[in-house]
Amino acid sequence: MKMIRQLFLAAALIGALLLPSAALAGNLADEPSPPDLALDRTIEPVIVTGVFAGRSVNDIFVYRWTGSAWEQIPFQIDERDATGAYVANEDGVMDSNDEVVFMSGDTGMLASSSIGDALPVSGLWYRVQVTDPLNTASKGWAYIVHSTTLTVTNPTDYVSYNAGNLRVSTANYALGWAASGHNGLDYMSMFGGGDILDRTKLRIDYRFIVLIKLTENDFPLDNVVLLKDGVVRTLVKRGGTVTVSYQSYTSTTFPVDLRSLPGSLEQVRTSVDLGNGVTGTYYDENNAAGKPIDGVPDNVTATPFNQAWRQVTVGNGSNIQVATLTSLGGTRHHYYKDNSAVDPQDTGDQRSFGDSGFEVTNPTSKLFTITTGQYFIPAAQGNQGATYNQYFLNPLQVTATAESQFQTYLPTLSRN
Ligand SMILES: [Ca+2]
Ligand SMILES: [Ca+2]
Ligand SMILES: [Ca+2]
Ligand SMILES: [Ca+2]
């Protein structure tokens, strides 16, 4: 405490013109008392860009202050090219769009002493403040440093990819891409359970003289390409779709270009169909008490559609999927089908077990992107969909501020 007061005092004296005094007061006021240490949202990524431009990606490290010591936390640096696309290797040098990534749950306290006094780091570092915008009293901090002598010392690896079975796995879930037939997923397990997935499905109806129905089987098969298997996340690409997987969260960006289809689009649907015989509970905004997934049809309300989330709870885990569908235009609905009867028109095992997702009728654009997030949480929590939908819509606020022994600069960026 004494040290940081001196540090800020030095900043106030030396850099008085650089920093408004209100900002200084704000920094001191942000310092948490011990009972409010932890950030309340722990399974989301913290992504920082714009730090250490021109430095080698191998000389960047991330630490937290535990209250009594500096501790390295799991982190990775992912390079993006000039178009913003993730690439396995760019130039090994920090550019403005390269990302330093760590988990919100690994943040610590606002430091009460200087990291520059404790570790062999370069004279300037970044203090990263992470704030839950839904509960602004909840904050966490991490420190991104540059050093030519430090090494990676934290052995934690939250996620891995197996090219043999095309699966990403963590302690909490596994997801696998289909080896043949379609570009979607055909494997999902949660919290130690077995595979619960038949497959992910895509339905595109368009009218060109007659109604034509496409499924996920009608698109050319793309290779599954691993861009990165880091300790915080994996980056996997199939066609134009990029899936980013963390310990308890996966996000997917699925760009769809149907401009070559003649006629008009009538309906687009994406859904996740569970395997034959899987039992559990389905929730969405209109079915908050849950419907039994058991292959027996349920009385489910598909509208209104105000919140793009759905939750499937099976055995030891829950999968909450949230989506951004706005670029399609049109009218959105929830989609749910639970029926063990064989439907010869269906794909996969032709049965529907808790098949659920999102449907858009009369989309106004043939060029759109569907962005989804999937949270994996332990099962015993009941319906948590609305909460995680709020998380998805209100990302953690990230502010990186350059600091040195003698000076604090204005925040350089704010980005999730
Ligand atoms: Ca770079
Ligand atoms: Ca890994
Ligand atoms: Ca049912
Ligand atoms: Ca099925």
Side-chain angles (χ1 to χ4, degrees):
M1 193 64 193
K2 188 181 172 201
M3 181 85 71
I4 199 150
R5 285 210 189 282
Q6 284 173 346
L7 195 145
F8 281 116
L9 191 60
L13 292 173
I14 298 166
L17 296 176
L18 268 178
L19 199 65
S21 57
L24 276 175
N27 281 327
L28 289 171
D30 282 347
E31 196 166 346
S33 52
D36 333 299
L37 294 182
L39 192 58
D40 56 3
R41 288 162 57 176
T42 59
I43 66 172
E44 294 161 79
V46 177
I47 300 169
V48 181
T49 55
V51 296
F52 290 121
R55 302 287 196 168
S56 167
V57 298
N58 297 318
D59 294 339
I60 312 297
F61 303 88
V62 185
Y63 284 77
R64 69 176 169 198
W65 175 248
T66 65
S68 58
W70 290 99
E71 201 170 76
Q72 192 179 105
I73 63 174
F75 70 95
Q76 73 187 69
I77 296 169
D78 294 329
E79 291 193 273
R80 296 192 295 158
D81 66 15
T83 72
Y86 292 111
V87 288
N89 288 293
E90 192 195 27
D91 55 5
V93 173
M94 295 297 290
D95 304 301
S96 60
N97 64 0
D98 295 338
E99 298 181 341
V100 180
V101 191
F102 51 91
M103 295 310 302
S104 59
D106 283 332
T107 58
M109 299 170 65
L110 182 61
S112 57
S113 66
S114 165
I115 194 169
D117 287 341
L119 295 171
V121 303
S122 301
L124 180 144
W125 59 86
Y126 294 89
R127 182 189 73 219
V128 179
Q129 178 174 291
V130 184
T131 306
D132 176 1
L134 300 171
N135 173 16
T136 54
S138 172
K139 297 178 192 297
W141 286 267
Y143 293 77
I144 305 176
V145 302
H146 174 268
S147 173
T148 54
T149 50
L150 287 172
T151 57
V152 173
T153 53
N154 190 316
T156 302
D157 185 355
Y158 289 124
V159 54
S160 61
Y161 176 75
N162 181 334
N165 57 17
L166 308 179
R167 285 181 203 163
V168 160
S169 58
T170 78
N172 298 336
Y173 71 94
L175 290 177
W177 283 265
S180 61
H182 66 109
N183 287 319
L185 303 172
D186 67 358
Y187 184 93
M188 181 191 296
S189 64
M190 297 190 285
F191 295 92
D195 177 23
I196 63 169
L197 201 59
D198 177 7
R199 60 163 61 184
T200 52
K201 293 177 175 173
L202 176 65
R203 297 289 180 272
I204 293 170
D205 296 357
Y206 71 101
R207 187 171 295 276
F208 180 61
I209 305 171
V210 295
L211 184 65
I212 300 162
K213 290 173 171 285
L214 301 177
T215 76
E216 68 277 0
N217 290 350
D218 295 315
F219 292 81
L221 199 65
D222 295 306
N223 290 328
V224 180
V225 177
L226 176 70
L227 297 178
K228 181 80 172 272
D229 180 351
V231 301
V232 176
R233 65 184 182 183
T234 57
L235 306 171
V236 176
K237 189 171 187 197
R238 186 167 213 176
T241 302
V242 176
T243 301
V244 184
S245 302
Y246 303 87
Q247 186 182 28
S248 301
Y249 175 66
T250 286
S251 70
T252 300
T253 307
F254 176 36
V256 183
D257 185 350
L258 301 173
R259 289 176 297 179
S260 62
L261 288 182
S264 58
L265 267 186
E266 294 207 344
Q267 190 159 286
V268 173
R269 182 214 302 166
T270 64
S271 68
V272 179
D273 186 23
L274 305 183
N276 185 13
V278 170
T279 59
T281 309
Y282 168 77
Y283 306 90
D284 66 29
E285 63 177 317
N286 302 312
N287 299 278
K291 299 291 183 185
I293 297 169
D294 52 8
V296 179
D298 305 286
N299 182 16
V300 165
T301 312
T303 56
F305 189 102
N306 295 314
Q307 299 173 20
W309 64 267
R310 44 175 280 281
Q311 176 177 335
V312 167
T313 297
V314 176
N316 295 321
S318 289
N319 170 234
I320 299 167
Q321 186 172 105
V322 294
T324 303
L325 304 163
T326 46
S327 63
L328 285 81
T331 306
R332 296 170 294 166
H333 310 274
H334 296 279
Y335 173 78
Y336 180 77
K337 183 179 179 185
D338 192 33
N339 192 334
S340 63
V342 169
D343 173 1
Q345 305 301 315
D346 200 1
T347 56
D349 65 11
Q350 302 186 318
R351 304 166 192 271
S352 295
F353 276 80
D355 185 4
S356 58
F358 308 108
E359 191 169 70
V360 179
T361 52
N362 300 316
T364 52
S365 175
K366 288 181 174 176
L367 179 66
F368 52 86
T369 299
I370 298 173
T371 306
T372 65
Q374 294 193 60
Y375 301 89
F376 296 90
I377 63 172
Q381 302 178 47
N383 182 349
Q384 293 290 320
T387 297
Y388 283 85
N389 189 50
Q390 283 300 306
Y391 292 174
F392 188 69
L393 297 175
N394 298 277
L396 293 170
Q397 293 171 348
V398 179
T399 306
T401 303
E403 284 186 336
S404 71
Q405 292 295 75
F406 304 111
Q407 199 154 293
T408 298
Y409 303 87
L410 288 171
T412 55
L413 63 107
S414 178
R415 175 167 189 267
N416 173 279

